[in-house]
Amino acid sequence: MNDEEVRRQITQMVKFIEQEAEEKANEINIAAEEEFDVEKRDVVEREKQKIREEYERKESAAEKEKRIEFSTRLNAARLRLLRARDDAVRGILAEARDELRDASDKPEYESLLVGLVEQGVAKLQATEAVIRCREVDAEKATAAMRRAEENAAAAGRELKLTLDTRAHLPPPPPPPPHDDDDDDASGEGGSARTRAATTDVASCIGGVHVLSVDGKVVCDVSLDDRLRVAFENNLPEIRGEIFDDGEDEIGDGDEIPGT
C-alpha cells in the first residue's frame, strides 16, 4: 500500500470518526433538549398546580366567608322579625290589660271577687284561708268573703276566711300618660320614657290571692294571672289572627330586610 492509499484511508477514517462524533453530539443535544423540555413542563405544571390550588383555597375561603356573613345577616334579620312579632303580641296583652284597668270600678266586680275567692279556696281544698287583696279593694274583698262564706254554709260546707291586713297586692296601675303632655314637657321621646317607666311600676288590675293559714301555699286568682293564663292558652290563635302563615320565616333565598 503506497502513501496515497494510506492518506486516503486515514482521511476516510477521520471523516467517519467526525461523522460519528457529530451524530453522537446531535443525539446528546436532542436528548438534552427533550429532557429539558420534560423538566420545564414538569416545573411549569407544578407551578400551575400551585397557582390553581392557591386560587381554589382563596375562592373557598371567600365563599365560606360569604356564607358565614349571609348566615349572620339572616339570623339577625330573623331575630329582628321575632322581636317585632313578640313586641306586637305583647302589645296586644298590654292593650288587654289597659282595658281591664277599670274593671274594679264596675258594679259586677264584687261578684267577680266572690267567684275568684271560691275558686281559690277550692284549689286549696281548705276550710280556712287568708285573702290578700289590693288595699283599695279591702271593703269589696271583705264583702266578697262574707258572701263566699254564706254560699259555703248554704251548701253545707264550713268555711272561714280572714282578710290579710299586713300585706297587700300591688296598687292599681297608674293612668296612661298623655302623649301631647309628655311631648310638650320633655320633647320627642318623652312619652316613650314615661310609658316605659309606667310599665316598670309593679301594679295589679284586681282579683285576690288565696293563702293557706300558715301562708306557705298561695293561690293566685288575680285578674293579672287570669289574663296571663288566657293569653298564653290562646297565643297560637292570637298569632294566627295578626300574622299570615309563614310570615315569621325568612328563607335562604329571600331578600334580607334592612340590608
Side-chain angles (χ1 to χ4, degrees):
M1 180 179 298
N2 56 32
D3 293 340
E4 184 65 27
E5 290 177 349
V6 171
R7 284 196 299 272
R8 189 168 52 251
Q9 288 183 355
I10 292 173
T11 301
Q12 290 177 351
M13 291 177 62
V14 169
K15 288 182 179 181
F16 176 78
I17 293 171
E18 288 178 348
Q19 184 178 357
E20 286 289 326
E22 184 177 353
E23 291 177 356
K24 190 65 175 177
N26 289 336
E27 290 178 1
I28 293 174
N29 288 335
I30 292 172
E33 289 179 359
E34 290 178 351
E35 184 177 354
F36 172 77
D37 290 339
V38 171
E39 182 66 21
K40 183 176 70 173
R41 283 196 301 270
D42 291 343
V43 172
V44 171
E45 188 60 33
R46 285 197 298 270
E47 293 303 317
K48 285 183 178 179
Q49 183 64 26
K50 288 181 180 179
I51 293 174
R52 282 194 294 267
E53 290 175 354
E54 180 66 14
Y55 175 79
E56 290 174 357
R57 184 189 66 79
K58 291 182 178 180
E59 185 180 33
S60 176
E63 184 65 25
K64 182 178 180 180
E65 183 177 354
K66 182 179 178 181
R67 288 197 302 268
I68 292 174
E69 180 184 0
F70 178 81
S71 178
T72 301
R73 290 164 51 199
L74 181 62
N75 290 336
R78 284 173 173 166
L79 288 176
R80 288 197 301 270
L81 180 59
L82 290 176
R83 282 195 295 268
R85 284 172 55 88
D86 186 66
D87 289 343
V89 172
R90 294 295 168 182
I92 293 177
L93 176 61
E95 290 177 6
R97 193 172 189 271
D98 285 341
E99 291 182 4
L100 292 174
R101 181 189 304 273
D102 300 326
S104 59
D105 296 332
K106 297 181 179 180
E108 58 268 24
Y109 181 64
E110 185 176 320
S111 297
L112 175 63
L113 287 179
V114 175
L116 293 175
V117 168
E118 291 177 340
Q119 289 178 18
V121 170
K123 287 184 178 180
L124 286 182
Q125 297 181 347
T127 58
E128 188 174 354
V130 177
I131 305 301
R132 180 177 297 165
C133 65
R134 301 183 303 180
E135 191 170 5
V136 296
D137 288 341
E139 184 177 345
K140 295 177 181 178
T142 300
M145 290 162 50
R146 300 291 81 85
R147 287 175 57 183
E149 289 174 337
E150 292 171 359
N151 292 341
R157 299 192 309 272
E158 181 182 354
L159 179 61
K160 180 181 179 181
L161 301 175
T162 304
L163 183 66
D164 188 352
T165 57
R166 293 181 299 177
H168 302 89
L169 298 183
H178 298 288
D179 291 344
D180 293 341
D181 295 342
D182 288 331
D183 291 340
D184 292 341
S186 55
E188 185 177 355
S191 175
R193 288 192 296 271
T194 303
R195 191 175 294 111
T198 301
T199 305
D200 292 339
V201 176
S203 61
C204 176
I205 56 177
V208 296
H209 286 181
V210 181
L211 295 77
S212 60
V213 176
D214 57 10
K216 293 182 178 180
V217 181
V218 179
C219 180
D220 187 350
V221 286
S222 65
L223 296 185
D224 300 83
D225 183 70
R226 290 306 175 89
L227 177 60
R228 178 187 61 79
V229 171
F231 174 77
E232 292 176 353
N233 289 342
N234 292 278
L235 189 55
E237 288 78 7
I238 295 173
R239 290 183 182 275
E241 286 292 328
I242 62 177
F243 300 114
D244 293 333
D245 293 339
E247 186 179 345
D248 58 339
E249 291 296 330
I250 300 178
D252 292 342
D254 296 338
E255 182 178 354
I256 299 177
T259 59

